[in-house]
Amino acid sequence: MVDRPVIADAAATGWDETDLGWMRRALQLADRAEREDDEIPVGALLVDAEGELLAEGWNRNITEHDPTAHAEIVAMRRAGSRLGNHRLTGCTLYVTLEPCAMCAMAMVHARVARVVYAASDPKTGACGSVFDLLADPRHNHRVQIDRGPLAEEAGLALRDYFRRKRTTQA
């Protein structure tokens, strides 16, 4: 894995240091997914309403032969187990890639308060890029969406991963 410097800081981006700090941790988890498991580098973590870390996750769907083991789902499952509750009310989910439809709907069902994602996903993003599931007024719960902290770093990690995969498979 190539070391990538995190180039954004709070003053330069307008993001507060808390959000940037959690997203930096999510990027570390994404790196772990690739380095340890050769998974697509996506990392996620859940923070409770008081700002305490509840759970972390990274992509595990290939390793676990589980199509639902996306980073967000792994983190939400772990948080639910820790809390002893399927509701994650008041929590913020930080993730390095825009959630897909499955993960977005899991956030609605779990009553996650906010999602912060780094890189947009122009193919399957469900938080505004392709679909806008979290803003659909038919749901009985809305998840606040904040886009873009450390998007360049997250996007670079994903591009590098797929570039290496194409090179080794050619």
Side-chain angles (χ1 to χ4, degrees):
M1 183 72 214
V2 177
D3 286 328
R4 295 178 194 88
V6 175
I7 56 173
D9 64 20
T13 64
W15 288 97
D16 77 22
E17 192 55 49
T18 301
D19 285 339
L20 289 175
W22 288 124
M23 191 58 75
R24 286 183 190 108
R25 178 63 189 148
L27 285 167
Q28 291 171 345
L29 297 169
D31 181 62
R32 186 173 178 181
E34 180 178 358
R35 188 174 15 89
E36 292 180 16
D37 300 318
D38 196 26
E39 295 270 359
I40 296 170
V42 179
L45 57 91
L46 228 78
V47 177
D48 70 14
E50 288 75 41
E52 297 296 319
L53 178 66
L54 285 177
E56 300 177 327
W58 54 91
N59 272 0
R60 306 277 305 150
N61 52 306
I62 297 167
T63 302
E64 295 182 6
H65 313 289
D66 179 355
T68 69
H70 290 191
E72 303 95 308
I73 300 294
V74 171
M76 286 189 285
R77 283 179 182 155
R78 290 175 177 170
S81 290
R82 179 173 175 187
L83 294 173
N85 195 336
H86 67 288
R87 299 284 192 228
L88 303 172
T89 307
C91 292
T92 297
L93 177 73
Y94 292 88
V95 60
T96 59
L97 180 64
E98 180 179 1
C100 69
M102 174 186 68
C103 294
M105 290 311 301
M107 286 185 270
V108 170
H109 293 295
R111 307 297 192 263
V112 169
R114 176 178 178 233
V115 61
V116 181
Y117 71 83
S120 294
D121 185 344
K123 294 185 179 182
T124 64
C127 299
S129 291
V130 179
F131 308 104
D132 203 357
L133 294 178
L134 298 182
D136 192 311
R138 294 170 288 189
H139 298 309
N140 61 349
H141 176 73
R142 304 287 182 292
V143 179
Q144 176 186 331
I145 305 167
D146 290 312
R147 302 166 173 90
L150 307 181
E152 288 181 42
E153 292 85 346
L156 180 60
L158 289 159
R159 284 189 301 275
D160 286 352
Y161 172 83
F162 287 113
R163 187 175 299 120
R164 281 190 296 279
K165 284 295 188 186
R166 283 190 300 272
T167 301
T168 59
Q169 293 173 357

